[in-house]
PDB file of all heavy atoms in Angstrom:
ATOM      1  N   ILE A  54       2.518  26.826  -8.608  1.00 40.00           N
ATOM      2  CA  ILE A  54       2.524  28.234  -8.210  1.00 40.00           C
ATOM      3  C   ILE A  54       3.773  28.935  -8.744  1.00 40.00           C
ATOM      4  O   ILE A  54       3.716  30.059  -9.249  1.00 40.00           O
ATOM      5  CB  ILE A  54       2.446  28.358  -6.670  1.00 40.00           C
ATOM      6  CG1 ILE A  54       1.058  27.900  -6.185  1.00 40.00           C
ATOM      7  CG2 ILE A  54       2.727  29.794  -6.215  1.00 40.00           C
ATOM      8  CD1 ILE A  54       0.947  27.747  -4.685  1.00 40.00           C
ATOM      9  N   ILE A  55       4.930  28.219  -8.649  1.00 40.00           N
ATOM     10  CA  ILE A  55       6.179  28.800  -9.135  1.00 40.00           C
ATOM     11  C   ILE A  55       6.109  29.075 -10.634  1.00 40.00           C
ATOM     12  O   ILE A  55       6.518  30.143 -11.117  1.00 40.00           O
ATOM     13  CB  ILE A  55       7.366  27.859  -8.803  1.00 40.00           C
ATOM     14  CG1 ILE A  55       7.603  27.856  -7.291  1.00 40.00           C
ATOM     15  CG2 ILE A  55       8.628  28.293  -9.539  1.00 40.00           C
ATOM     16  CD1 ILE A  55       8.559  26.773  -6.826  1.00 40.00           C
ATOM     17  N   ILE A  56       5.573  28.107 -11.395  1.00 35.00           N
ATOM     18  CA  ILE A  56       5.440  28.286 -12.848  1.00 35.00           C
ATOM     19  C   ILE A  56       4.531  29.468 -13.167  1.00 35.00           C
ATOM     20  O   ILE A  56       4.809  30.287 -14.039  1.00 35.00           O
ATOM     21  CB  ILE A  56       4.909  27.005 -13.500  1.00 35.00           C
ATOM     22  CG1 ILE A  56       5.970  25.894 -13.399  1.00 35.00           C
ATOM     23  CG2 ILE A  56       4.528  27.245 -14.953  1.00 35.00           C
ATOM     24  CD1 ILE A  56       5.460  24.533 -13.806  1.00 35.00           C
ATOM     25  N   PHE A  57       3.422  29.591 -12.428  1.00 37.00           N
ATOM     26  CA  PHE A  57       2.483  30.681 -12.652  1.00 37.00           C
ATOM     27  C   PHE A  57       3.130  32.043 -12.378  1.00 37.00           C
ATOM     28  O   PHE A  57       3.043  32.976 -13.191  1.00 37.00           O
ATOM     29  CB  PHE A  57       1.244  30.507 -11.760  1.00 37.00           C
ATOM     30  CG  PHE A  57       0.304  31.680 -11.777  1.00 37.00           C
ATOM     31  CD1 PHE A  57      -0.520  31.924 -12.866  1.00 37.00           C
ATOM     32  CD2 PHE A  57       0.256  32.581 -10.706  1.00 37.00           C
ATOM     33  CE1 PHE A  57      -1.376  33.007 -12.885  1.00 37.00           C
ATOM     34  CE2 PHE A  57      -0.590  33.658 -10.724  1.00 37.00           C
ATOM     35  CZ  PHE A  57      -1.411  33.879 -11.807  1.00 37.00           C
ATOM     36  N   LEU A  58       3.812  32.132 -11.217  1.00 39.00           N
ATOM     37  CA  LEU A  58       4.452  33.393 -10.867  1.00 39.00           C
ATOM     38  C   LEU A  58       5.552  33.753 -11.853  1.00 39.00           C
ATOM     39  O   LEU A  58       5.728  34.908 -12.222  1.00 39.00           O
ATOM     40  CB  LEU A  58       5.024  33.313  -9.452  1.00 39.00           C
ATOM     41  CG  LEU A  58       3.991  33.248  -8.314  1.00 39.00           C
ATOM     42  CD1 LEU A  58       4.687  33.013  -6.979  1.00 39.00           C
ATOM     43  CD2 LEU A  58       3.147  34.511  -8.270  1.00 39.00           C
ATOM     44  N   THR A  59       6.296  32.712 -12.310  1.00 39.00           N
ATOM     45  CA  THR A  59       7.357  32.953 -13.291  1.00 39.00           C
ATOM     46  C   THR A  59       6.790  33.479 -14.599  1.00 39.00           C
ATOM     47  O   THR A  59       7.323  34.405 -15.207  1.00 39.00           O
ATOM     48  CB  THR A  59       8.144  31.658 -13.558  1.00 39.00           C
ATOM     49  OG1 THR A  59       8.687  31.209 -12.322  1.00 39.00           O
ATOM     50  CG2 THR A  59       9.271  31.905 -14.554  1.00 39.00           C
ATOM     51  N   SER A  60       5.655  32.898 -15.033  1.00 40.00           N
ATOM     52  CA  SER A  60       5.037  33.344 -16.293  1.00 40.00           C
ATOM     53  C   SER A  60       4.539  34.774 -16.185  1.00 40.00           C
ATOM     54  O   SER A  60       4.653  35.559 -17.115  1.00 40.00           O
ATOM     55  CB  SER A  60       3.879  32.406 -16.682  1.00 40.00           C
ATOM     56  OG  SER A  60       2.810  32.508 -15.751  1.00 40.00           O
ATOM     57  N   VAL A  61       3.983  35.106 -14.994  1.00 37.00           N
ATOM     58  CA  VAL A  61       3.527  36.475 -14.792  1.00 37.00           C
ATOM     59  C   VAL A  61       4.696  37.446 -14.850  1.00 37.00           C
ATOM     60  O   VAL A  61       4.659  38.485 -15.486  1.00 37.00           O
ATOM     61  CB  VAL A  61       2.785  36.608 -13.439  1.00 37.00           C
ATOM     62  CG1 VAL A  61       2.518  38.087 -13.117  1.00 37.00           C
ATOM     63  CG2 VAL A  61       1.489  35.828 -13.471  1.00 37.00           C
ATOM     64  N   PHE A  62       5.804  37.062 -14.179  1.00 39.00           N
ATOM     65  CA  PHE A  62       7.000  37.911 -14.168  1.00 39.00           C
ATOM     66  C   PHE A  62       7.556  38.106 -15.563  1.00 39.00           C
ATOM     67  O   PHE A  62       7.862  39.218 -15.989  1.00 39.00           O
ATOM     68  CB  PHE A  62       8.053  37.279 -13.246  1.00 39.00           C
ATOM     69  CG  PHE A  62       9.358  38.021 -13.265  1.00 39.00           C
ATOM     70  CD1 PHE A  62       9.529  39.194 -12.543  1.00 39.00           C
ATOM     71  CD2 PHE A  62      10.415  37.553 -14.037  1.00 39.00           C
ATOM     72  CE1 PHE A  62      10.721  39.876 -12.575  1.00 39.00           C
ATOM     73  CE2 PHE A  62      11.606  38.233 -14.070  1.00 39.00           C
ATOM     74  CZ  PHE A  62      11.772  39.384 -13.343  1.00 39.00           C
ATOM     75  N   LEU A  63       7.641  36.986 -16.307  1.00 36.00           N
ATOM     76  CA  LEU A  63       8.205  37.069 -17.655  1.00 36.00           C
ATOM     77  C   LEU A  63       7.317  37.877 -18.582  1.00 36.00           C
ATOM     78  O   LEU A  63       7.797  38.606 -19.450  1.00 36.00           O
ATOM     79  CB  LEU A  63       8.424  35.658 -18.217  1.00 36.00           C
ATOM     80  CG  LEU A  63       9.561  34.861 -17.551  1.00 36.00           C
ATOM     81  CD1 LEU A  63       9.582  33.442 -18.107  1.00 36.00           C
ATOM     82  CD2 LEU A  63      10.907  35.546 -17.751  1.00 36.00           C
ATOM     83  N   SER A  64       5.998  37.740 -18.414  1.00 36.00           N
ATOM     84  CA  SER A  64       5.091  38.503 -19.287  1.00 36.00           C
ATOM     85  C   SER A  64       5.254  39.997 -19.070  1.00 36.00           C
ATOM     86  O   SER A  64       5.069  40.785 -19.969  1.00 36.00           O
ATOM     87  CB  SER A  64       3.628  38.098 -19.032  1.00 36.00           C
ATOM     88  OG  SER A  64       3.219  38.514 -17.731  1.00 36.00           O
ATOM     89  N   GLY A  65       5.636  40.367 -17.840  1.00 39.00           N
ATOM     90  CA  GLY A  65       5.858  41.784 -17.563  1.00 39.00           C
ATOM     91  C   GLY A  65       7.193  42.275 -18.061  1.00 39.00           C
ATOM     92  O   GLY A  65       7.462  43.467 -18.046  1.00 39.00           O
ATOM     93  N   CYS A  66       8.051  41.365 -18.534  1.00 35.00           N
ATOM     94  CA  CYS A  66       9.381  41.754 -18.995  1.00 35.00           C
ATOM     95  C   CYS A  66       9.515  41.695 -20.503  1.00 35.00           C
ATOM     96  O   CYS A  66      10.607  41.746 -21.038  1.00 35.00           O
ATOM     97  CB  CYS A  66      10.428  40.835 -18.361  1.00 35.00           C
ATOM     98  SG  CYS A  66      10.541  41.027 -16.570  1.00 35.00           S
ATOM     99  N   THR A  67       8.375  41.563 -21.218  1.00 33.00           N
ATOM    100  CA  THR A  67       8.452  41.524 -22.673  1.00 33.00           C
ATOM    101  C   THR A  67       8.793  42.905 -23.198  1.00 33.00           C
ATOM    102  O   THR A  67       8.680  43.912 -22.498  1.00 33.00           O
ATOM    103  CB  THR A  67       7.102  41.077 -23.274  1.00 33.00           C
ATOM    104  OG1 THR A  67       6.115  42.019 -22.898  1.00 33.00           O
ATOM    105  CG2 THR A  67       6.722  39.691 -22.781  1.00 33.00           C
ATOM    106  N   SER A  68       9.190  42.973 -24.468  1.00 31.00           N
ATOM    107  CA  SER A  68       9.594  44.241 -25.070  1.00 31.00           C
ATOM    108  C   SER A  68       8.401  45.076 -25.522  1.00 31.00           C
ATOM    109  O   SER A  68       8.557  46.200 -25.951  1.00 31.00           O
ATOM    110  CB  SER A  68      10.502  43.967 -26.272  1.00 31.00           C
ATOM    111  OG  SER A  68       9.807  43.199 -27.239  1.00 31.00           O
ATOM    112  N   GLU A  69       7.170  44.534 -25.441  1.00 33.00           N
ATOM    113  CA  GLU A  69       5.996  45.285 -25.866  1.00 33.00           C
ATOM    114  C   GLU A  69       5.752  46.449 -24.917  1.00 33.00           C
ATOM    115  O   GLU A  69       5.888  46.338 -23.701  1.00 33.00           O
ATOM    116  CB  GLU A  69       4.765  44.371 -25.890  1.00 33.00           C
ATOM    117  CG  GLU A  69       4.814  43.304 -26.971  1.00 33.00           C
ATOM    118  CD  GLU A  69       3.531  42.481 -26.978  1.00 33.00           C
ATOM    119  OE1 GLU A  69       2.595  42.860 -26.258  1.00 33.00           O
ATOM    120  OE2 GLU A  69       3.485  41.483 -27.693  1.00 33.00           O
ATOM    121  N   LYS A  70       5.355  47.612 -25.490  1.00 38.00           N
ATOM    122  CA  LYS A  70       5.037  48.769 -24.679  1.00 38.00           C
ATOM    123  C   LYS A  70       3.675  48.564 -24.022  1.00 38.00           C
ATOM    124  O   LYS A  70       2.794  47.939 -24.597  1.00 38.00           O
ATOM    125  CB  LYS A  70       4.989  50.031 -25.553  1.00 38.00           C
ATOM    126  CG  LYS A  70       6.332  50.426 -26.133  1.00 38.00           C
ATOM    127  CD  LYS A  70       6.181  51.683 -26.964  1.00 38.00           C
ATOM    128  CE  LYS A  70       7.516  52.101 -27.568  1.00 38.00           C
ATOM    129  NZ  LYS A  70       7.386  53.309 -28.399  1.00 38.00           N
ATOM    130  N   PRO A  71       3.495  49.067 -22.816  1.00 40.00           N
ATOM    131  CA  PRO A  71       2.185  48.955 -22.181  1.00 40.00           C
ATOM    132  C   PRO A  71       1.142  49.725 -22.984  1.00 40.00           C
ATOM    133  O   PRO A  71       1.452  50.739 -23.611  1.00 40.00           O
ATOM    134  CB  PRO A  71       2.403  49.597 -20.804  1.00 40.00           C
ATOM    135  CG  PRO A  71       3.596  50.483 -20.968  1.00 40.00           C
ATOM    136  CD  PRO A  71       4.454  49.797 -21.986  1.00 40.00           C
ATOM    137  N   ILE A  72      -0.076  49.223 -22.967  1.00 41.00           N
ATOM    138  CA  ILE A  72      -1.154  49.870 -23.714  1.00 41.00           C
ATOM    139  C   ILE A  72      -1.477  51.214 -23.076  1.00 41.00           C
ATOM    140  O   ILE A  72      -1.730  51.307 -21.876  1.00 41.00           O
ATOM    141  CB  ILE A  72      -2.407  48.972 -23.754  1.00 41.00           C
ATOM    142  CG1 ILE A  72      -2.086  47.664 -24.475  1.00 41.00           C
ATOM    143  CG2 ILE A  72      -3.569  49.688 -24.424  1.00 41.00           C
ATOM    144  CD1 ILE A  72      -3.210  46.653 -24.431  1.00 41.00           C
ATOM    145  N   LYS A  73      -1.441  52.266 -23.871  1.00 60.00           N
ATOM    146  CA  LYS A  73      -1.754  53.594 -23.359  1.00 60.00           C
ATOM    147  C   LYS A  73      -3.258  53.795 -23.304  1.00 60.00           C
ATOM    148  O   LYS A  73      -4.024  53.095 -23.955  1.00 60.00           O
ATOM    149  CB  LYS A  73      -1.123  54.664 -24.245  1.00 60.00           C
ATOM    150  CG  LYS A  73       0.398  54.680 -24.198  1.00 60.00           C
ATOM    151  CD  LYS A  73       0.931  55.844 -25.014  1.00 60.00           C
ATOM    152  CE  LYS A  73       2.442  55.917 -24.927  1.00 60.00           C
ATOM    153  NZ  LYS A  73       2.982  57.071 -25.671  1.00 60.00           N
ATOM    154  N   LYS A  74      -3.665  54.801 -22.532  1.00 84.00           N
ATOM    155  CA  LYS A  74      -5.076  55.153 -22.505  1.00 84.00           C
ATOM    156  C   LYS A  74      -5.448  55.802 -23.834  1.00 84.00           C
ATOM    157  O   LYS A  74      -4.594  56.090 -24.669  1.00 84.00           O
ATOM    158  CB  LYS A  74      -5.356  56.091 -21.344  1.00 84.00           C
ATOM    159  CG  LYS A  74      -4.652  57.441 -21.461  1.00 84.00           C
ATOM    160  CD  LYS A  74      -4.998  58.340 -20.290  1.00 84.00           C
ATOM    161  CE  LYS A  74      -4.361  59.713 -20.437  1.00 84.00           C
ATOM    162  NZ  LYS A  74      -4.702  60.611 -19.329  1.00 84.00           N
TER     163      LYS A  74
END
Side-chain angles (χ1 to χ4, degrees):
I54 291 170
I55 290 169
I56 292 170
F57 172 75
L58 291 174
T59 301
S60 67
V61 170
F62 175 79
L63 290 175
S64 68
C66 294
T67 61
S68 60
E69 292 183 8
K70 293 181 180 179
I72 298 174
K73 293 185 177 182
K74 64 179 183 179

